Coordinates of all heavy atoms in Angstrom, one line a residue:
Chain G
E1465 N 6.6 -8.2 -2.8 CA 5.5 -7.1 -2.7 C 4.3 -7.5 -3.5 O 4.3 -7.4 -4.7 CB 6.1 -5.7 -3.1 CG 5.3 -4.5 -2.6 CD 5.2 -4.5 -1.1 OE1 6.2 -4.7 -0.4 OE2 4.1 -4.2 -0.6
H1499 N -5.4 -0.4 -5.6 CA -4.4 0.2 -4.8 C -4.9 0.4 -3.3 O -4.1 0.5 -2.4 CB -3.9 1.6 -5.4 CG -3.1 1.4 -6.6 ND1 -1.7 1.3 -6.5 CD2 -3.4 1.3 -7.9 CE1 -1.2 1.2 -7.7 NE2 -2.2 1.2 -8.6
N1502 N -3.6 -2.4 -0.4 CA -2.4 -2.3 0.4 C -2.1 -0.8 0.8 O -1.4 -0.6 1.7 CB -1.2 -2.8 -0.4 CG -1.1 -4.3 -0.3 OD1 -1.8 -4.9 0.5 ND2 -0.2 -4.9 -1.1
G1503 N -2.7 0.1 0.1 CA -2.5 1.5 0.4 C -3.4 2.1 1.5 O -3.0 3.1 2.1
Y1504 N -4.5 1.4 1.8 CA -5.4 1.9 2.8 C -5.9 0.8 3.7 O -5.8 0.9 4.9 CB -6.6 2.6 2.1 CG -7.4 3.5 3.0 CD1 -7.7 4.8 2.6 CD2 -8.1 3.1 4.1 CE1 -8.5 5.7 3.3 CE2 -8.9 3.9 4.9 CZ -9.1 5.2 4.5 OH -9.9 6.0 5.2
P1507 N -3.1 -1.6 5.8 CA -2.5 -0.8 6.9 C -3.5 -0.3 8.0 O -3.1 -0.2 9.1 CB -1.9 0.4 6.2 CG -1.9 0.1 4.7 CD -2.9 -1.0 4.5
Chain P
Q1275 N 0.7 13.3 1.8 CA 1.2 12.6 0.7 C 0.7 13.0 -0.7 O 1.2 12.6 -1.7 CB 0.8 11.1 0.9 CG -0.6 10.8 1.0 CD -0.9 9.3 1.1 OE1 -0.8 8.6 0.1 NE2 -1.2 8.8 2.2
R1278 N 2.9 14.1 -3.6 CA 3.3 13.2 -4.7 C 2.7 13.5 -6.0 O 3.3 13.5 -7.1 CB 3.0 11.7 -4.3 CG 3.7 11.1 -3.2 CD 2.9 9.8 -2.8 NE 3.7 9.1 -1.7 CZ 3.1 8.2 -0.9 NH1 1.8 7.9 -1.1 NH2 3.8 7.6 0.0
E1329 N -6.6 7.9 -3.6 CA -5.5 6.8 -3.3 C -4.3 7.1 -4.2 O -4.4 6.9 -5.4 CB -6.1 5.4 -3.6 CG -5.3 4.3 -3.0 CD -5.2 4.4 -1.5 OE1 -6.2 4.6 -0.8 OE2 -4.1 4.2 -1.0
S1330 N -3.2 7.5 -3.6 CA -2.1 8.1 -4.4 C -1.5 7.1 -5.4 O -1.2 7.5 -6.5 CB -1.0 8.6 -3.5 OG -0.4 7.6 -2.7
G1331 N -1.5 5.8 -5.0 CA -0.9 4.8 -6.0 C -1.8 4.7 -7.2 O -1.3 4.6 -8.3
F1361 N 9.6 -1.1 -6.2 CA 9.7 0.1 -5.4 C 8.4 1.0 -5.6 O 8.0 1.7 -4.6 CB 11.0 0.9 -5.7 CG 12.1 0.2 -5.0 CD1 13.1 -0.5 -5.8 CD2 12.3 0.3 -3.7 CE1 14.1 -1.1 -5.1 CE2 13.4 -0.3 -3.0 CZ 14.3 -1.0 -3.8
L1362 N 7.8 0.9 -6.7 CA 6.5 1.6 -6.9 C 5.5 1.2 -5.9 O 4.8 2.0 -5.2 CB 6.0 1.4 -8.3 CG 4.8 2.2 -8.8 CD1 5.2 3.6 -9.1 CD2 4.2 1.6 -10.1
H1363 N 5.4 -0.1 -5.7 CA 4.4 -0.7 -4.7 C 4.9 -0.7 -3.3 O 4.1 -0.8 -2.4 CB 3.9 -2.1 -5.2 CG 3.1 -2.0 -6.4 ND1 1.7 -1.9 -6.4 CD2 3.4 -2.0 -7.7 CE1 1.2 -1.9 -7.6 NE2 2.2 -1.9 -8.4
F1364 N 6.2 -0.7 -3.1 CA 6.8 -0.8 -1.8 C 6.4 0.5 -1.0 O 6.2 0.4 0.2 CB 8.3 -0.8 -2.0 CG 9.2 -0.6 -0.8 CD1 9.6 -1.8 -0.1 CD2 9.6 0.6 -0.4 CE1 10.4 -1.6 1.1 CE2 10.5 0.7 0.7 CZ 10.8 -0.4 1.5
A1365 N 6.3 1.6 -1.6 CA 6.0 2.9 -0.9 C 4.8 2.8 0.0 O 4.8 3.0 1.2 CB 5.8 4.0 -2.0
N1366 N 3.6 2.4 -0.6 CA 2.4 2.3 0.2 C 2.1 0.9 0.7 O 1.3 0.8 1.7 CB 1.2 2.8 -0.7 CG 1.1 4.3 -0.7 OD1 1.8 5.0 0.0 ND2 0.2 4.8 -1.5
G1367 N 2.7 -0.1 0.1 CA 2.5 -1.4 0.5 C 3.4 -1.9 1.7 O 3.0 -2.9 2.4
Y1368 N 4.5 -1.2 1.9 CA 5.4 -1.6 3.0 C 5.9 -0.4 3.8 O 5.8 -0.4 5.0 CB 6.6 -2.4 2.3 CG 7.4 -3.2 3.3 CD1 7.7 -4.5 3.0 CD2 8.0 -2.7 4.4 CE1 8.5 -5.3 3.9 CE2 8.8 -3.4 5.3 CZ 9.1 -4.7 5.0 OH 9.9 -5.5 5.8
F1369 N 6.5 0.5 3.1 CA 7.3 1.6 3.8 C 6.4 2.5 4.7 O 6.6 2.6 5.9 CB 8.1 2.4 2.8 CG 9.0 3.4 3.3 CD1 9.6 3.3 4.6 CD2 9.3 4.5 2.6 CE1 10.4 4.2 5.1 CE2 10.1 5.5 3.1 CZ 10.7 5.4 4.4
Q1370 N 5.4 3.1 4.0 CA 4.5 4.0 4.7 C 3.7 3.3 5.9 O 3.7 3.8 7.0 CB 3.5 4.7 3.7 CG 2.5 5.6 4.3 CD 3.1 6.9 4.8 OE1 4.2 7.3 4.5 NE2 2.3 7.7 5.5
P1371 N 3.1 2.1 5.7 CA 2.5 1.4 6.8 C 3.5 1.0 7.9 O 3.1 1.1 9.1 CB 1.9 0.2 6.2 CG 1.9 0.4 4.7 CD 2.9 1.4 4.4
M1426 N 6.8 8.1 -5.5 CA 5.9 7.5 -4.5 C 6.6 7.4 -3.1 O 6.0 7.4 -2.1 CB 5.5 6.0 -5.0 CG 4.4 6.0 -6.0 SD 2.9 6.7 -5.4 CE 2.4 5.4 -4.2
N1427 N 8.0 7.2 -3.1 CA 8.7 6.9 -1.9 C 9.1 8.1 -1.1 O 9.3 8.1 0.1 CB 9.8 6.0 -2.1 CG 9.4 4.5 -2.3 OD1 9.1 3.9 -1.3 ND2 9.3 4.1 -3.5
T1430 N 7.5 9.7 2.3 CA 7.7 9.0 3.6 C 9.0 9.2 4.2 O 9.2 9.1 5.4 CB 7.4 7.5 3.4 OG1 6.2 7.3 2.6 CG2 7.2 6.7 4.7

Side-chain angles (χ1 to χ4, degrees):
Chain G
E1465 197 59 45
H1499 288 269
N1502 278 352
Y1504 195 127
Chain P
Q1275 58 174 287
R1278 293 167 173 160
E1329 198 58 46
S1330 63
F1361 284 106
L1362 189 72
H1363 288 270
F1364 173 89
N1366 278 352
Y1368 195 128
F1369 185 30
Q1370 176 75 11
M1426 285 298 291
N1427 281 282
T1430 313

